[in-house]
Amino acid sequence: MKKGRAALSLFFLSCAAALLIGGCNNPKFIKKAEFHGTHLIVLTFAGPVDPEWGENSASFSVNEKPDPDILLEVRGVTLSPDRTRLTIELADPINQDQPHQVVARDILSQGKDLGTQSVTVARPYLGYLFSIFLGALLIQNFVFSKYLGLCVFFGTSQKKTTAVGMGITFTFVIVFASLMSWFFYQFILKPYRLDYLQIIVFIGLVSLTVQAVDTILRKINPALFKAFGVYLVLVIANCIVIAVPLILADNEYGVFESLMLALGAGLGFLLALFLMSSVRERLDLADVPVSYRGLPIAFIVAGLFALSFMGFSGMSIF
Amino acid sequence: MDPLVIKLALGGLALLAAIGLFFGIGLALAAHKFAVEVNPKVEAVKEVLAGAQ
């Protein structure tokens, strides 16, 4: 009982401390800033602002966050009737991949000068991560729209069980290998200016991951190891597993972006293998012309899949 | 040649060698720790059998 009371009072004390610390923060007058369409940035204020300040486009400057000295041209500013929402129209389309900085000079609200405030506008981060994931999984599926990893794709898509096993191993390996490559690229290769060696290092890291998985799986789960058989080693020869680290390095992705791309690529490969193996199991029973039996018809089926996956192309989410 | 380029190349060599050594030792330790006991008779039988493949 006594212990419970002590814990309770400690809890209230920490709550009060958190409130005090929170209250010390300078309240932001600009509550929200977001992109609207291709040319607009919408700011939401905590209170009404004066029209003579808000409708003057000289009060605002907009720039992309990495280049603060290149100001974007503001075409016009409009204030909503309740004077709390303000729309900035830019002359050129906004590159939404970059966070933008909006500086509002000497904000006037009901005659009071609230000083200069700046705000960063960026796309919602979780949505951005999800769009990377879905992009790698469907829209730019590595097998069906980039034609990578075809050797393993055709080699292991004859039976559903091996296809799924291969897909899961592959996802496993690609996530580990990409995260490791990301770490090595960001913290070792780039600081020492050795990024020209990235291909060699990435190949080494991929084979290292595969070898480690091989060694550990052999001991821990011999049944699964037997089921994977030769495919585990085949992952080394897959082009997707080396393409993903190169894409990460090229785009300067962060750790979560890398994770999402690797996961999307791995699951996309799993999806492609599963679809293909389902069709090929049926094809064995179908009456295929002799000269098309086996690999040729498989290539035709893959082409049809690629055609249907083209339906996703050009889609953008968020 | 520019000494900076030579320095970069040598640095790359040293770093790659270090990484290789580090992971090589790591893999060797892992292989040692996760070693699977193989029946020596299997090897002996395989040795005796004729096998081109």
Side-chain angles (χ1 to χ4, degrees), chain A residues 184 188 193-194 201 208 219, chain B residues 8 12 15-16 19 23 34-35:
Chain A
F184 266 75
I188 295 181
R193 287 199 279 162
L194 292 172
V201 174
L208 173 93
K219 175 81 177 177
Chain B
L8 260 181
L15 199 81
L16 277 196
I19 293 173
F23 281 119
F34 291 99

Side-chain angles (χ1 to χ4, degrees), chain A residues 180 184 188-189 192-194 196-197 200-201 205 207-208 211-212 215-216 218-220, chain B residues 4-5 8-9 11-13 15-16 19 23-24 27 30-37:
Chain A
M180 220 147 65
F184 266 75
I188 295 181
L189 294 188
Y192 291 102
R193 287 199 279 162
L194 292 172
Y196 63 97
L197 288 176
I200 298 175
V201 174
L205 288 175
S207 33
L208 173 93
Q211 182 60 49
T215 310
I216 294 170
R218 193 190 293 260
K219 175 81 177 177
I220 290 181
Chain B
L4 190 72
V5 176
L8 260 181
L13 266 180
L15 199 81
L16 277 196
I19 293 173
F23 281 119
L27 269 185
H32 193 69
K33 189 164 178 206
F34 291 99
V36 180
E37 307 81 42

Side-chain angles (χ1 to χ4, degrees), chain A residues 143-145 147 150 153-154 272 275-276 279-280 283 292 295-312:
Chain A
V143 176
F144 290 136
S145 70
Y147 313 116
L150 288 185
F153 175 66
F154 283 115
L275 290 176
M276 192 66 188
V279 173
R280 281 180 83 174
L283 272 182
Y292 277 110
L295 214 50
I297 193 77
F299 265 98
I300 292 173
V301 169
L304 292 176
F305 269 124
L307 268 180
S308 59
F309 265 70
M310 266 182 79
F312 291 117

